[in-house]
Amino acid sequence: MRTSCSSIALGIVCAPIACCYLVFASCFCPGHLRQQEPEEKKRFERRQRMAPRPLPVRPAQRTLTIPVPEKSMCLEPRRGRTLDQSQSRLIGLPLELRQMIYRCVLGDSTMHMILKEERLGHLKCKAPSAVECRLGFNGRTLSRECCWGTFDFANIWTPMNGVKESTDGNIIPFLSTCRQIYSESINFLYSTNTFSFSDLDCLRYFSCTTLPNRFNMIQNLDIEWCMSWPIYDNIAQQLLLNNPALYPPYDETTWEETWRIVANMTNLKFIRVSLLYVDGFRDAACEAKMLAPLRKVTIPAKFEVHVSWSGEEVTDAPFQLIRPILPEPVSDDESL
């Protein structure tokens, strides 16, 4: 009897608090307090249907890769053949000069990685650097339409007006010229470019559709992401009516998996992360949970994390957390 009375008393005390919270949250995030919007589910389902297929466990030998010598112990038959290219003026140059040409054609740029139907693509940045590439917000996520082109509601690249727009930075034809050029130049594509990701799924798909030795050549990453409420806010998620609270890739699982992948990239030298969160985190504990996966990334010599909200300084992390600079308050004397 006492237990029943205690439960009733607890319900009477907690009910007004829960009601007040729901009313307060509905004023700021009304879209999350009703049943999950159909568009969010449709977006998730379309992205799942169009996801690129990962490489097989033992990927076949690339036809453009020069085979190992015949004296190798490998017994598998080799595909393709390598022709003599000595008549080529490019191949006739010393290797050092050829490498300079390869780097000029393929490297030292920013590659925006994008989702396409059932595969990935990349667009060569039109700005001098990733920092100077204008970053906007299209109402759903971060956007660089000046470089990217047209995207549908699921953030999948689509041709504009039915015309096949050029992607892949016009570098695929060069790599496909011959096997010697491919084998001598492919490393520059991965090791000298900055790979820019504005979609967490892009980075995850890129890691499982690229040969591991090529993926681990990447030295520079630029990641932009728009975080969705109520990520890492367990109290808010329990009070919401929709299930799940967040669809991938906006959920905690996708976020943590992304940083597990980054933490295992052995040749990283620089990472720049830009995070947008409209309202910021409710308290420091929620932000600490969000930043916890980033603490496992210890290889890069320079690791910057730019956030759009204010908060306390973080000094014990392998990254530099950069918050927006708030204007100094104007005193009464200065206002006069």
Side-chain angles (χ1 to χ4, degrees), residues 99 102-111 185-195 214 217-220 269:
Q99 290 177 337
Y102 298 151
R103 181 161 185 166
C104 182
V105 175
L106 302 176
D108 297 328
S109 298
T110 296
M111 298 294 182
S185 64
I186 188 62
N187 291 353
F188 290 100
L189 176 64
Y190 293 93
S191 63
T192 66
N193 285 309
T194 297
F195 287 85
R214 299 268 164 76
M217 289 179 185
I218 296 175
Q219 299 183 15
N220 302 293
K269 293 183 178 179

Side-chain angles (χ1 to χ4, degrees), residues 173-187:
F174 179 80
L175 290 170
S176 304
T177 302
C178 74
R179 305 176 84 185
Q180 181 174 347
I181 289 178
Y182 177 88
S183 299
E184 291 179 351
S185 64
I186 188 62
N187 291 353

